[in-house]
Amino acid sequence: MKKVIFITGASTGIGRETAVYFSKKGWNVAATMRSPEKGKDLLQHPNIAIFAVDVLDSSSIKKAIDAVLIKFGNIDVLFNNAGYGLVGAFEAMTQEQIKKQFDTNIFGVMNVTRSILPYFRSKNSGVIINTSSMGGIITFPLYSVYHATKWALEGFAESLQYELRPFNIKVKNIEPGAIKTEFETAIEFVSISAYDRYTKPVHQTMLDTYKTAPGPQVVAKKVWQAASDGSYRLRYPVGGQGPLLLFMRWLLPLSWFMAMVRSQVEKRI
């Protein structure tokens, strides 16, 4: 029986590229998204089927899992990839925007994970892979709420692996650096005039890092490694300067590292 990966947020970027990559590797792919019409082009690839999932709607998650099991007969890997980016001055962010950030990046991951765990437990195997970020270990200005969600995801996954190991369920986080996808153009930027002198040039400098960043293919390959290596390894840094920055954060005192970050991201001020 072919292996099966269940992907959230598969209509664009990392999720879409991962769906195509696993299809080429001979896996069956359940590509899920809120609006299935946005992913119709994926159907030209063999072994890919599209399912409607809103990660904040538990009934849609359960319905999709059941439908995937009927169509493909099993699920081996869950790839929690759906995400949303809110950046800018924290003071300018509304409660609704902050809630959306946590709903998508944390509660959505928890909803899908909780929904699939009974199945993984029943077959005593499974791999849960999350799109985290190097921003789950280190921070940059203007990303305070986004970082809060990714740091929460890192803690959630690190703790969860203990209780799932007795069931042979592996938990893994992919930690991309800057990756050139539709995500950077979809980032919601907010500010108020009091912060503009800082936020606007720093935000532009951060966006510039995407111009020379690798594409989502490098992340898809890392997801494949995480899904296939059979290990209990938790963290998989990938792409751009991410792995180097994570190493520097481990190596340097925090004050030195933060000074290094400021020297790069505040150079337009």
Side-chain angles (χ1 to χ4, degrees), residues 132-161:
S132 182
S133 169
M134 68 174 180
I137 306 292
I138 61 179
T139 64
F140 299 99
L142 309 186
Y143 283 69
S144 59
V145 175
Y146 178 81
H147 283 309
T149 64
K150 294 303 184 181
W151 281 55
L153 179 58
E154 289 287 336
F156 170 65
E158 185 172 312
S159 177
L160 187 64
Q161 64 175 347

Side-chain angles (χ1 to χ4, degrees), residues 142 189 191 195-208 264-269:
L142 309 186
F189 172 73
S191 188
Y195 289 88
D196 282 351
R197 182 178 174 275
Y198 185 86
T199 59
K200 290 184 176 181
V202 170
H203 181 52
Q204 187 56 56
T205 298
M206 296 293 292
L207 289 178
D208 287 347
Q264 297 300 308
V265 302
E266 297 178 356
K267 57 189 177 184
R268 280 192 168 96
I269 297 176

Side-chain angles (χ1 to χ4, degrees), residues 95-112:
Q95 181 176 351
E96 291 73 22
Q97 288 171 321
I98 294 170
K99 183 177 184 299
K100 180 181 177 181
Q101 181 74 101
F102 275 86
D103 279 347
T104 306
N105 290 8
I106 289 297
F107 298 122
V109 169
M110 290 180 174
N111 290 342
V112 183

Side-chain angles (χ1 to χ4, degrees), residues 47-166:
N47 312 322
I48 296 181
I50 296 175
F51 301 86
V53 166
D54 180 344
V55 298
L56 301 183
D57 180 356
S58 295
S59 63
S60 81
I61 298 167
K62 185 180 185 304
K63 183 178 178 181
I65 290 172
D66 291 343
V68 172
L69 291 175
I70 291 171
K71 181 171 182 60
F72 292 137
N74 68 304
I75 300 172
D76 299 281
V77 176
L78 165 63
F79 181 30
N80 286 310
N81 173 70
Y84 160 67
L86 173 67
V87 303
F90 171 72
E91 187 180 339
M93 296 176 182
T94 66
Q95 181 176 351
E96 291 73 22
Q97 288 171 321
I98 294 170
K99 183 177 184 299
K100 180 181 177 181
Q101 181 74 101
F102 275 86
D103 279 347
T104 306
N105 290 8
I106 289 297
F107 298 122
V109 169
M110 290 180 174
N111 290 342
V112 183
T113 299
R114 185 172 54 243
S115 294
I116 207 166
L117 281 178
Y119 172 71
F120 279 173
R121 280 194 298 103
S122 72
K123 69 172 197 168
N124 198 45
S125 69
V127 181
I128 298 166
I129 302 174
N130 307 306
T131 296
S132 182
S133 169
M134 68 174 180
I137 306 292
I138 61 179
T139 64
F140 299 99
L142 309 186
Y143 283 69
S144 59
V145 175
Y146 178 81
H147 283 309
T149 64
K150 294 303 184 181
W151 281 55
L153 179 58
E154 289 287 336
F156 170 65
E158 185 172 312
S159 177
L160 187 64
Q161 64 175 347
Y162 289 106
E163 63 199 70
L164 298 186
R165 188 165 182 145

